Amino acid sequence: MATCTSSLFYGPRLLPLSGRRSSPELSWRPQQVVLPMAKFELRTPPYALDALEPHMSKQTLEFHWGKHHRAYIDNLNKQIDGTDLERKNLEELVKLSYNNGNPQACFNNAGQAWNHDFFWSSIYPGGGGQPVGEVLELIERDFGSFEEFAKEFKAAGVSQFGSGWVWLILKDAKLSVLKTSNALNPLIWGYIPLTVVDVWEHAYYLDFQNRRPDYLNTFLDKLISWEAVAGRLARAKAFVNLGEPTIPEK
Amino acid sequence: MMIMLHSVSRNLICTISASFLPRTCAVQQEVLPELPYDYNALEPVISAEIMLLHHQKHHQAYVTGFNKALEQLTTASDPRAIVALQSAINFNGGGHINHSIFWNNLAPPKEGGGEPPEGNLASAIESQFGSLDNLIAKLSASGAGVQGSGWVWLGLIKDSKLLKVETTANQDPLAAKGLVPLLGIDVWEHAYYLQYKNVRPDYLKNIWKVVNWSDVAKRYDSA
């Protein structure tokens, strides 16, 4: 996601005059210091642009990934060029630029760049259906049943008035559904995102026009990658205790 | 004891009886206004396909949603339920208000669409913005800058009769910012996506060919 191009940075470094260890005199000598500068790149989705047909058209991918997502990356790079923010990775940049609710200028592009990367990895050809194993267990534990989860997820999608996203997140060691507007994402509140659906109109208008409920059904029935959710959950467990039993003391 | 109460909203006429009797309200249903021209009348600026979906699906959904929320309001019993309906009323009601203005703000070229304003509005634009082109440039730039869904407006500060370019998010009505709406351009993606795709600036460049400035002028004069 971030490629580093190094550049030479001449900066002052205080160095004692050689040979005089106890001398209080200090001199300035220019020193070559190489600092990594990050320029974000548009990462291709892990499938061909027509691989999600007929559920998400090639045309949608060409515009959504090829134009919208690309523009967020390009504009983000322009905004952070020559600033301190250039040395952050994207996740750091999102949290930093959110600035506790008083977002900086580049937050919109940073958030959207991150969100779209996450979205492309949240869907897969042949996706959809129900999860298995621990993901299903946790869904049943925290929502009652898969059907209840699906109902809540879709209701959040249709009630997100305007542009935004609907997430399945891990919050306080529990699964829950979260809807966010525009570029906001769960990272800014310290929650762990497990999957997402984009409900900006550009995500579905070419394929579904105004029929957002149909799009949400298709997302759950045909697109969502439960494998991705399982992988993210496994990584999250490195940071969150989901209530596994501890070794009993003697 | 019966008290007839005409509420602030003209849709609700409630009779409030003594506290142990249920409240009954007659709710006036909003209706989708007719488009003042054919669906293909704004071509090639806005396609018939977009006009059809925008009017019959999107605007109709706001009307339906607003009526449903109002009806739920009449049966809501506690403050929490009433407050919970606020966002649905604001969103759907705002959508209905905004689009009702929008259809009249536009007109096919043969019915005056694109013709520059005259009279008081024209003088006000000249004196406050320098020229119509300046105003259009400002409106287009503001519209292109709206993040997410929303509208760009030419509004009026009633007291001073000063014009102001303003944007609103989602379906928030311009009145919430204390301005009288004169001209609104919908920059939700559904307003242009099928035709202009991601290039919102092209939509904003072309829409001036069908803006009905005489409607805008009428709103200015009667404000």
Side-chain angles (χ1 to χ4, degrees):
Chain A
M1 182 183 332
T3 59
C4 294
T5 59
S6 57
S7 75
L8 294 176
F9 170 67
Y10 284 85
R13 253 190 84 174
L14 294 177
L15 291 168
L17 292 172
S18 47
R20 296 203 212 161
R21 284 162 59 156
S22 57
S23 167
E25 282 182 19
L26 297 164
S27 75
W28 290 79
R29 191 173 6 134
Q31 183 81 355
Q32 276 190 7
V33 174
V34 174
L35 292 167
M37 302 292 191
K39 278 255 179 283
F40 297 106
E41 275 187 0
L42 181 67
R43 199 159 56 167
T44 55
Y47 36 78
L49 296 188
D50 62 356
L52 300 174
E53 297 245 4
H55 314 298
M56 188 179 281
S57 65
K58 178 181 180 199
Q59 196 193 25
T60 290
L61 264 296
E62 280 173 341
F63 281 100
H64 197 178
W65 171 79
K67 305 276 183 187
H68 290 272
H69 189 179
R70 189 183 299 276
Y72 292 126
I73 299 271
D74 289 347
N75 291 332
L76 176 64
N77 283 333
K78 281 186 212 145
Q79 277 174 320
I80 64 174
D81 184 39
T83 72
D84 274 348
L85 297 173
E86 240 182 330
R87 294 187 207 116
K88 304 289 173 194
N89 71 39
L90 193 54
E91 189 168 320
E92 284 177 317
L93 188 54
V94 169
K95 291 188 231 186
L96 207 71
S97 62
Y98 178 64
N99 198 22
N100 290 307
N102 195 13
Q104 296 174 1
C106 69
F107 171 74
N108 194 61
N109 287 317
Q112 285 295 81
W114 194 93
N115 295 345
H116 283 88
D117 258 342
F118 194 76
F119 179 51
W120 304 131
S121 316
S122 297
I123 55 181
Y124 206 72
Q130 291 208 15
V132 294
E134 192 176 9
V135 175
L136 182 61
E137 272 172 39
L138 287 175
I139 284 182
E140 286 173 344
R141 184 194 74 179
D142 296 333
F143 291 96
S145 66
F146 180 79
E147 286 69 32
E148 274 306 308
F149 154 73
K151 201 168 140 200
E152 194 176 321
F153 192 81
K154 286 188 268 192
V158 300
S159 65
Q160 178 46 38
F161 297 147
S163 309
W165 304 78
V166 182
W167 310 79
L168 174 65
I169 60 169
L170 197 58
K171 173 186 170 186
D172 303 330
K174 274 190 73 182
L175 293 182
S176 63
V177 167
L178 175 75
K179 60 181 184 185
T180 60
S181 70
N182 295 354
L184 297 176
N185 66 34
L187 299 177
I188 61 185
W189 295 299
Y191 308 142
I192 297 175
L194 298 175
T195 197
V196 74
V197 64
D198 187 350
V199 293
W200 281 63
E201 286 177 327
H202 64 236
Y204 60 89
Y205 214 81
L206 295 177
D207 297 334
F208 294 91
Q209 292 80 59
N210 61 300
R211 293 169 287 120
R212 195 190 280 188
D214 287 350
Y215 163 65
L216 292 165
N217 281 330
T218 301
F219 174 80
L220 283 179
D221 292 341
K222 304 287 183 189
L223 290 169
I224 185 175
S225 166
W226 287 112
E227 286 80 10
V229 176
R232 289 159 181 167
L233 186 67
R235 280 199 295 279
K237 281 162 77 170
F239 302 96
V240 177
N241 184 330
L242 293 176
E244 295 88 3
T246 51
I247 298 168
E249 285 175 51
K250 257 213 170 114
Chain B
M1 193 159 25
M2 302 271 278
I3 306 162
M4 291 287 280
L5 218 179
H6 292 274
S7 76
V8 174
S9 160
R10 61 187 174 85
N11 291 305
L12 289 169
I13 303 165
C14 300
T15 57
I16 298 178
S17 56
S19 58
F20 54 85
L21 288 174
R23 194 194 308 155
T24 57
C25 295
V27 179
Q28 192 177 300
Q29 299 268 293
E30 286 296 312
V31 166
L32 179 71
E34 274 197 32
L35 215 57
Y37 32 77
D38 289 335
Y39 286 111
N40 61 3
L42 302 182
E43 294 214 341
V45 174
I46 304 178
S47 69
E49 191 189 11
I50 288 183
M51 291 304 292
L52 196 83
L53 284 165
H54 204 171
H55 181 246
Q56 285 190 7
K57 301 289 179 186
H58 290 277
H59 190 172
Q60 178 65 71
Y62 295 128
V63 171
T64 307
F66 182 64
N67 288 333
K68 183 166 156 215
L70 269 192
E71 207 161 320
Q72 287 173 324
L73 188 67
T74 64
T75 57
S77 47
D78 66 283
R80 234 172 313 191
I82 293 171
V83 169
L85 285 167
Q86 225 171 36
S87 75
I89 290 174
N90 196 59
F91 177 67
N92 289 298
H96 175 38
I97 291 168
N98 295 339
H99 286 85
S100 301
I101 297 172
F102 188 49
W103 308 135
N104 290 297
N105 278 163
L106 305 175
K110 62 177 159 77
E111 286 168 38
E115 276 173 33
E118 293 174 348
N120 296 328
L121 178 64
S123 324
I125 290 174
E126 187 97 17
S127 75
Q128 287 168 47
F129 292 94
S131 68
L132 181 64
D133 281 345
N134 283 349
L135 171 61
I136 284 176
K138 201 149 190 238
L139 283 164
S140 297
S142 293
V146 171
Q147 286 173 4
S149 308
W151 292 72
V152 61
W153 299 92
L154 177 64
L156 181 71
I157 304 169
K158 212 165 165 173
D159 298 338
S160 55
K161 269 279 190 178
L162 278 176
L163 298 169
K164 192 163 193 271
V165 170
E166 185 58 84
T167 60
T168 51
N170 302 328
Q171 293 299 350
D172 295 349
L174 188 65
K177 292 203 169 177
L179 298 170
V180 177
L182 304 179
L183 167 66
I185 310 282
D186 190 350
V187 292
W188 279 65
E189 284 168 331
H190 65 236
Y192 61 87
Y193 206 79
L194 292 178
Q195 201 176 337
Y196 295 93
K197 309 292 190 303
N198 59 303
V199 196
R200 193 194 284 177
D202 278 358
Y203 160 69
L204 289 168
K205 198 164 64 172
N206 282 308
I207 199 159
W208 304 107
K209 300 175 189 164
V210 291
V211 164
N212 183 5
W213 285 106
S214 76
D215 176 74
V216 185
K218 260 188 232 141
R219 292 175 197 270
Y220 177 80
D221 289 333
S222 63

